[in-house]
């Protein structure tokens, strides 16, 4: 129990303190004799006890948790010590702040009391002096009259000398006109103009009190020349402000200091005018009693604002000069904006000590320059008609360089607001990449649409022959040229993420094109296979299939010995130079998958070509096999003759690597069709008919054709055609030997279909259901190895 109490103590000590404080407040509010306080105390104790119990229940759920008590105690004690230390530190700081504040309040109270006492003394002295001098009102009137006469005299002299002073200032300004870089008379002219402006303002202010419009117009005409001189001076002032950077770079410190003095005097004058205007607005009657408020400048001149405006106009003009250079050479944006950083460096190193510190001139220049650079770049990005995607990407790349240069000038990114590109870097890269992707999709879509139309209409206008005489489509080379161009555009960005995104989309586009062609070829071949379809145009369709098959091989036709590469390999080599090794490894796998798809589509084209031969050319002869007419006709020889005709016609137009594929497809398709003819209407094998010899004749006729091609594995062909031997065995075996014949076939062709075996057996003139039952029984007993690849018999249903 002591150990549990010591553990509970650090957890609950803060709660107890809070509880005691609450209890004290309740007692204060209700009095010590009130029973409510005691009830609340009891409730708080119960709440603390329950909370502590729940906390202990969470920490000590299992008996073995008791071993952790010492560690928990040490951990909680350490946390409590940390909290106590923070509370002590915070309390000390708050006490110091409070003591300082209380001291300041006490000092203020003493100062206010002292001022009050002094004002009372002044008021008392004033009253006593008036009472001591009986004729004070008369003296006051005479004094006011004397002051008025003096002011009229001064104003008369000022007005008489006004034009002379204006002439003198014009002469000084004309001298400065010849030396605008130095303007030696800048301060004299400014002082003279300030004096003349005050004379004019004072005269007009006094005239307003008389309220004589004719005199006011006459006086305005009198001061007209001053406005011209002021405009002349402002022009010189603007030139000096606009040349501040060159002045720093040429170390013309005198001119900069004099200009800063002029701006400083004018800034103070404007501050006084603003204070006067605010005082007159809020305390009009009180302000009218003070001559110090009524005298001095009456209007805001805004030379500090003009100075800032000149800086902004200068950087804006420089950016406008930079824009055409950027449009011509967007990749050299950094070089075109070297002046930007040179200017800021000059301000940092040469202007700060020449200007008032409160102006924070370096901060001011940086903010103005950064804001205008931001606005200029954003305007270029948002103007899609003016700025190309490549130029936008150059701007995105420039952002990192910009902040790198600004860091050398002692500015962090967080010091420069807003962000140079409004944090749109990722968005712009994505948009730029999407433009390339969109362009690729549009090109691929248009080319496929043209090919699809020609393919479906069986038009050969879009077909051509290459240097080897092979049929080819006209759009394939255009497609790969477009992909290379877009890849180059992505590569020009210098960003691996852009290139990788574009390559991913190109791979997807290539796979979509392959899938679209596969589906289109399948649909069209099936359409011609249906009965009643007009065979017109089938020859052009076959030309298309040959051209498409050749296209697929051209994409993957690599010959490393002579460094000859297909379209796909060249594409792989080109983007491999632009991406990182990690992505390249992943992309190579994708390319290999696409390469396999090209081979598959080429084979599919050849298969469809062969399917059209059987669907169109052999449509009349196929139903005759295994019927009575079969024995007297030479149907298979005619089919082989047709093969020879097709081979002689298309062998020169078909890629040499596909010729053997074409022959093998003929062999497989012929075998499948031949064996499937057991389902022909009227197919019957009578014991007395020479069907064994006839099948042998057909097989030999087929072999005469297929063995002529050295590139074809004739042994493989013969192995597949061995299925005809098993068909004959199923037909000629006695009833008891049928299961054995089936088993022999099953061991050679593991995926032979029972439906086909049933069709063969039903063709026997002595067919009995017991034959099929025996075959099914033997099928349940026979166990054969099932390799991954299907045999030719697996394709016969």
């Amino acid at each position: 129990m002591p150990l549990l109490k010591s553990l509970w103590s650090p957890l609950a000590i803060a709660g107890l303190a809070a509880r005691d404080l609450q209890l004290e407040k309740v007692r204060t509010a209700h009095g010590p004799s009130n029973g409510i306080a005691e009830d609340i105390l009891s409730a708080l104790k119960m709440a603390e006890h329950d909370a502590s119990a729940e906390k202990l229940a969470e920490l000590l759920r299992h008996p073995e948790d008791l071993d952790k008590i010492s560690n928990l105690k040490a951990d909680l004690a350490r946390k409590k010590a940390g909290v106590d230390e923070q509370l002590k530190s915070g309390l000390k700081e708050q006490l110091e702040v409070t003591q300082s504040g209380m001291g300041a309040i006490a000092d203020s109270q003493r100062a206010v009391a002292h001022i009050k006492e002094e004002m009372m003394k002044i008021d008392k002295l004033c009253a006593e002096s008036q009472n001591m001098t009986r004729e004070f009102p008369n003296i006051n009137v005479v004094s006011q009259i004397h002051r008025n006469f003096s002011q009229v005299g001064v104003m008369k002299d000022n007005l008489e000398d006004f034009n002379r002073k204006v002439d003198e200032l014009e002469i000084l300004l004309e001298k400065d006109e010849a030396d605008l870089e130095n303007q030696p008379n800048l301060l004299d002219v400014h002082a003279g103009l300030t004096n003349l402006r005050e004379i004019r303002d004072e005269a007009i202010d006094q005239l307003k009190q008389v309220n004589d419009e004719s005199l006011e117009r006459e006086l305005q005409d009198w001061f007209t020349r001053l406005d011209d001189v002021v405009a002349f001076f402002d022009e010189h002032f603007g030139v000096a402000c606009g040349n501040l950077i060159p002045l720093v770079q040429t170390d013309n410190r005198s001119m900069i200091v004099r200009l800063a003095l002029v701006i400083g005097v004018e800034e103070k004058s404007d501050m006084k005018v603003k204070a006067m205007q605010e005082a007159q607005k809020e305390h009009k009657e009180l302000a009218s009693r003070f001559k110090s408020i009524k005298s001095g400048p009456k209007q805001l001149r805004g030379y500090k604002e003009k100075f800032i405006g000149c800086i902004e106009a200068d950087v804006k003009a420089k950016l406008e000069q930079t824009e055409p250079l950027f449009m011509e050479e967007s990749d050299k944006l950094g070089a075109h904006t070297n002046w930007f950083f040179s200017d800021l460096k000059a301000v940092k190193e040469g202007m700060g000590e020449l200007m008032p510190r409160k102006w924070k001139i370096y901060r001011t220049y940086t903010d103005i320059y950064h804001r205008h650079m931001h606005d200029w770049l954003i305007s270029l990005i948002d103007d899609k008609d003016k700025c190309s995607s490549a130029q936008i990407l150059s701007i995105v790349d420039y952002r990192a360089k910009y902040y790198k240069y600004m860091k050398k000038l002692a500015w962090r990114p967080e010091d420069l607001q807003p962000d140079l590109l409004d944090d749109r870097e990722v968005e712009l890269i994505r948009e730029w990449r999407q433009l390339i992707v969109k362009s690729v999709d549009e090109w691929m879509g248009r080319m496929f649409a043209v090919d699809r139309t020609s393919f479906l209409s069986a038009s050969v206008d879009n077909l051509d022959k290459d240097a080897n005489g092979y049929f080819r489509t006209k759009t394939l080379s255009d497609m790969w040229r477009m992909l290379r161009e877009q890849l180059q555009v992505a590569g020009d960005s210098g960003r691996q993420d852009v290139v990788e995104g574009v390559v991913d989309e190109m791979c997807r586009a290539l796979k979509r094109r392959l899938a679209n062609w596969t589906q289109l070829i399948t649909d069209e071949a099936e359409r011609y296979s249906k009965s009643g379809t007009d065979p017109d145009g089938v020859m052009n369709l076959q030309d298309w299939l040959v051209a498409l098959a050749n296209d697929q091989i051209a994409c993957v036709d690599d010959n490393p010995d002579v460094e000859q590469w297909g379209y796909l390999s060249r594409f792989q080599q080109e983007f491999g130079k632009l991406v990182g090794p990690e992505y390249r490894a992943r992309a190579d796998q994708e390319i290999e998958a696409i390469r396999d798809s090209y081979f598959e589509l080429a084979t599919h084209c050849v298969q469809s070509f062969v399917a059209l031969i059987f669907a169109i050319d052999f449509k009349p002869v196929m139903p005759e096999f295994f019927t009575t007419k079969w024995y007297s006709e030479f149907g298979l020889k005619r089919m082989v003759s047709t093969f020879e005709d097709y081979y002689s016609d298309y062998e020169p137009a078909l890629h040499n690597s596909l010729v053997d594929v074409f022959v093998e497809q003929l062999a497989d398709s012929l075998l499948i069709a031949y064996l499937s003819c057991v389902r022909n209407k009227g197919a019957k094998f009578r014991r007395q008919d020479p069907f064994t010899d006839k099948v042998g004749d057909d097989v030999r006729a087929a072999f005469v054709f297929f063995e002529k091609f050295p590139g074809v594995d004739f042994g493989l062909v013969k192995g597949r055609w061995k299925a005809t031997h098993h068909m004959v065995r199923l037909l000629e075996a006695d009833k008891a030997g049928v299961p054995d014949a089936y088993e022999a076939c099953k061991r050679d062709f593991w995926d032979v279909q029972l439906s086909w075996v049933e069709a063969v057996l039903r063709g026997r003139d002595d067919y009995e259901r017991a034959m099929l039952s025996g075959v099914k029984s033997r099928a349940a007993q026979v166990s054969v190895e099932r390799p991954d690849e299907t045999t030719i018999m697996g394709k016969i249903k």
Side-chain angles (χ1 to χ4, degrees):
M1 287 301 293
L3 183 59
L4 290 176
K5 289 180 179 180
S6 63
L7 175 64
W8 175 83
S9 179
L11 289 170
I13 188 168
L16 289 174
R19 184 196 64 193
D20 293 341
L21 179 60
Q22 292 175 355
L23 178 60
E24 190 63 31
K25 290 182 179 179
V26 171
R27 284 174 173 170
T28 303
H30 298 281
S33 62
N34 198 326
I36 296 176
E38 298 302 328
D39 293 339
I40 293 175
L41 174 61
S42 299
L44 288 172
K45 287 182 177 180
M46 290 296 295
E48 288 296 336
H49 183 271
D50 293 342
S52 301
E54 291 178 2
K55 184 66 176 178
L56 286 173
E58 292 179 2
L59 294 174
L60 305 175
R61 293 185 178 183
H62 306 286
E64 54 269 20
D65 289 340
L66 293 173
D67 297 335
K68 304 177 183 178
I69 290 178
S70 58
N71 294 334
L72 291 172
K73 177 182 177 182
D75 184 50
L76 293 173
R78 185 170 60 256
K79 291 181 179 179
K80 177 180 178 298
V83 172
D84 291 342
E85 184 63 29
Q86 291 180 359
L87 289 173
K88 289 179 181 179
S89 176
L91 180 60
K92 182 179 179 181
E93 292 178 0
Q94 291 299 321
L95 286 174
E96 291 176 354
V97 172
T98 303
Q99 290 174 354
S100 176
M102 293 176 64
I105 292 173
D107 293 341
S108 300
Q109 289 177 341
R110 286 194 295 270
V112 170
H114 181 69
I115 293 172
K116 183 177 180 181
E117 291 175 1
E118 294 297 324
M119 292 294 291
M120 292 175 64
K121 290 179 181 179
I122 293 172
D123 184 66
K124 182 178 179 180
L125 291 174
C126 180
E128 290 176 353
S129 64
Q130 290 181 6
N131 293 331
M132 291 172 62
T133 307
R134 296 180 180 180
E135 296 184 0
F136 176 77
N138 295 331
I139 296 173
N140 189 34
V141 171
V142 173
S143 175
Q144 182 65 36
I145 293 173
H146 181 267
R147 284 196 299 270
N148 289 342
F149 271 111
S150 298
Q151 291 177 359
V152 169
V154 172
M155 180 60 66
K156 173 178 174 295
D157 294 338
N158 288 336
L159 291 176
E160 289 177 348
D161 293 341
F162 191 85
N163 285 327
R164 179 183 60 79
K165 292 179 179 179
V166 169
D167 292 337
E168 292 176 354
L169 293 177
E170 282 184 335
I171 294 172
L172 294 176
L173 285 171
E174 288 174 356
K175 291 180 179 179
D176 285 353
E177 181 74 14
D179 189 9
L180 289 175
E181 292 185 0
N182 296 301
Q183 299 188 34
N185 301 307
L186 179 66
L187 293 179
D188 293 339
V189 172
H190 176 259
L193 284 177
T194 301
N195 178 255
L196 295 180
R197 280 171 162 172
E198 291 178 353
I199 291 173
R200 178 185 61 182
D201 294 345
E202 183 66 25
I204 292 175
D205 186 62
Q206 292 180 11
L207 189 60
K208 286 180 179 179
Q209 298 176 12
V210 178
N211 196 17
D212 189 334
E213 295 182 1
S214 61
L215 288 177
E216 185 174 353
R217 286 194 298 270
E218 184 177 352
L219 196 59
Q220 290 286 2
D221 294 340
W222 184 264
F223 295 133
T224 300
R225 290 187 60 203
L226 178 61
D227 294 334
D228 296 335
V229 176
V230 170
F232 199 4
F233 172 78
D234 288 349
E235 182 180 342
H236 286 189
F237 177 82
V239 171
C241 293
N243 289 333
L244 266 178
I245 300 298
L247 290 174
V248 174
Q249 293 170 344
T250 57
D251 200 26
N252 194 342
R253 302 166 68 88
S254 172
M255 182 62 189
I256 298 173
V257 171
R258 285 184 279 118
L259 184 64
L261 288 173
V262 170
I263 299 171
V265 170
E266 292 295 335
E267 183 181 27
K268 291 179 181 178
S269 174
D270 287 348
M271 291 175 63
K272 184 177 180 181
V273 172
K274 290 178 181 179
M276 180 187 68
Q277 292 174 348
E278 292 177 0
Q280 289 177 339
K281 181 179 180 181
E282 297 178 5
H283 310 284
K284 187 174 182 179
E285 294 181 0
L286 180 62
S288 61
R289 296 170 57 186
F290 292 92
K291 296 180 181 179
S292 59
I293 293 180
K294 295 174 65 177
S295 61
K298 303 295 189 296
Q299 296 179 351
L300 294 171
R301 296 170 189 165
Y303 277 88
K304 180 68 178 292
E305 288 72 20
K306 291 178 182 178
F307 168 64
I308 299 299
C310 288
I311 298 174
E312 293 187 346
D314 180 54
V315 67
K316 185 176 181 181
K318 290 178 178 178
L319 288 172
E320 290 175 354
Q321 295 171 4
T322 302
E323 185 168 322
L325 299 176
F326 167 71
M327 291 300 177
E328 293 179 4
E329 298 176 310
S330 60
D331 58 327
K332 297 182 179 179
L333 179 57
H336 296 324
T337 55
N338 278 338
W339 57 266
F340 184 94
F341 307 102
S342 298
D343 287 1
L344 292 180
K345 183 178 180 181
V347 173
K348 178 185 178 184
E349 296 178 352
M351 195 179 295
E353 60 184 8
L354 305 179
M355 297 280 185
R357 183 171 298 179
K358 66 178 182 179
W359 288 1
K360 299 180 180 179
I361 192 64
Y362 185 39
R363 171 86 258 183
T364 300
Y365 259 91
T366 301
D367 288 344
I368 294 172
Y369 269 52
H370 176 74
R371 186 177 70 254
H372 278 273
M373 177 64 80
H374 162 272
D375 295 346
W376 179 62
L377 293 177
I378 293 298
S379 67
L380 290 175
I381 290 172
D382 291 339
D383 192 345
K384 305 299 183 183
D385 296 332
K386 179 187 293 185
C387 211
S388 67
S389 56
Q391 290 167 334
I392 291 176
L393 193 62
S394 295
I395 293 174
V396 172
D397 290 339
Y398 177 71
R399 180 182 181 276
K401 300 175 184 177
Y402 176 86
Y403 281 113
K404 180 180 178 181
Y405 292 147
M406 294 302 286
K407 186 177 181 180
K408 293 180 180 179
L409 295 173
W411 295 115
R412 299 171 299 173
E414 54 268 26
D415 297 331
L416 304 170
Q417 297 298 329
D419 181 82
L420 186 64
L421 301 181
D422 289 339
D423 294 315
R424 294 168 57 184
E425 183 179 10
V426 175
E427 172 194 347
L428 292 170
I429 292 174
R430 184 172 57 249
E431 288 179 358
W432 188 85
R433 184 173 59 203
Q434 196 60 33
L435 287 175
I436 301 177
V437 169
K438 182 180 178 182
S439 178
V440 170
D441 288 341
E442 290 177 351
W443 271 89
M444 298 285 277
R446 283 196 298 268
M447 285 187 285
F448 182 74
V450 171
D451 285 344
R452 182 178 185 277
T453 302
S454 300
F455 179 79
L456 294 177
S457 63
S459 172
V460 295
D461 293 339
N462 264 15
L463 299 184
D464 202 352
K465 288 185 178 182
D466 62 13
N468 297 317
Y470 301 150
F471 284 173
R472 297 280 294 277
T473 63
K474 294 180 179 179
T475 54
L476 182 70
S477 59
D478 294 337
M479 180 194 75
W480 285 105
R481 182 171 60 253
M482 179 274 297
L483 291 178
R484 285 196 301 272
E485 290 173 353
Q486 296 301 321
L487 181 62
Q488 183 178 359
V489 172
D492 290 342
S493 68
R495 301 181 65 95
Q496 289 186 2
D497 55 343
V498 172
V499 177
E500 291 170 1
V502 170
V503 171
D504 282 341
E505 183 56 35
M506 288 179 174
C507 289
R508 285 192 288 268
L510 290 173
K511 289 192 287 187
R512 283 196 300 270
R513 179 181 173 87
L514 287 165
N516 290 338
W517 270 122
T518 300
Q519 188 61 47
L520 185 60
I521 292 168
T522 300
D523 294 343
E524 195 67 3
E526 289 179 354
R527 185 174 71 85
Y528 276 95
S529 298
K530 294 178 181 178
S531 59
T533 303
D534 188 358
D536 289 344
V538 70
M539 292 184 62
N540 289 348
L541 177 60
Q542 288 172 327
D543 291 348
W544 262 97
L545 291 173
V546 171
L548 288 171
N550 290 337
D551 279 356
Q552 313 319 309
I553 297 301
C555 293
V556 293
D557 187 17
D558 297 340
N559 188 349
D561 295 337
V562 294
E563 295 187 354
Q564 176 182 327
W565 309 103
Y567 288 117
L568 185 63
S569 294
R570 290 202 297 270
F571 173 69
Q572 184 181 15
Q573 293 166 3
E574 288 170 357
F575 78 71
K577 303 173 184 177
L578 306 174
V579 299
E582 182 177 349
Y583 175 82
R584 184 160 53 245
R586 178 170 63 84
D588 287 345
Q589 296 178 359
E590 187 75 9
I591 292 297
E592 290 308 311
I594 295 174
R595 190 185 306 277
D596 293 340
S597 298
Y598 276 121
F599 282 116
E600 292 172 1
L601 180 54
T603 303
H604 183 60
C605 291
V606 175
Q607 290 173 340
S608 300
F609 183 98
V610 173
L612 289 174
I613 296 176
F614 280 85
I616 305 299
D617 295 80
F618 298 158
K619 187 175 183 180
V621 71
M622 294 306 299
E624 297 177 356
F625 281 94
F626 306 143
T627 65
T628 304
K629 193 175 181 181
W630 170 55
Y631 293 97
S632 60
E633 298 290 337
F634 299 94
L636 199 135
K637 288 185 178 180
R638 293 201 306 271
M639 293 172 70
V640 169
S641 178
T642 303
F643 287 166
E644 291 175 345
D645 293 339
Y646 271 103
Y647 180 81
S648 61
D649 290 342
Y650 283 97
E651 188 272 337
L654 187 64
H655 194 279
N656 56 10
S657 65
L658 291 174
V659 172
D660 295 336
V661 176
F662 174 61
V663 175
E664 290 175 359
Q665 288 299 322
L666 288 176
D668 289 349
S669 298
L670 178 59
L671 177 59
I672 293 171
Y674 187 78
L675 295 177
S676 300
C677 286
V678 296
R679 300 180 183 277
N680 281 346
K681 185 178 180 180
K684 212 65 176 174
F685 301 93
R686 288 183 290 271
R687 302 290 91 192
Q688 67 273 19
D689 291 339
F691 60 83
T692 301
D693 295 337
K694 185 59 177 174
V695 170
D697 291 341
D698 288 346
V699 172
R700 284 188 290 273
F703 284 177
V704 168
F705 174 74
F706 295 124
E707 67 182 357
K708 295 188 301 184
F709 303 99
V712 175
D713 187 351
F714 186 61
L716 182 62
V717 173
K718 289 176 67 176
R720 291 172 179 170
W721 275 75
K722 188 179 179 181
T724 59
H725 169 70
H726 289 291
M727 182 186 72
V728 171
R729 287 191 63 187
L730 286 169
L731 291 172
E732 66 181 7
D734 56 27
K735 296 179 181 179
V738 168
D740 294 334
Y742 165 75
E743 182 178 347
C745 181
K746 181 74 173 178
R747 295 192 181 282
D748 286 340
F749 301 95
W750 66 270
D751 52 355
V752 62
Q753 304 291 312
L754 280 175
S755 59
W756 176 80
V757 174
E758 181 181 357
V760 173
L761 295 177
R762 286 182 181 277
R764 292 173 57 130
D765 59 347
D766 60 346
Y767 170 72
E768 294 179 357
R769 293 186 60 85
M771 294 182 185
L772 184 59
S773 298
V775 168
K776 290 181 178 179
S777 176
R778 182 63 61 85
Q781 299 173 7
V782 175
S783 175
V784 295
E785 184 180 354
R786 294 173 176 267
D788 295 335
E789 294 184 0
T790 60
T791 69
I792 193 70
M793 295 304 294
K795 302 177 182 179
I796 304 173
K797 306 302 181 182

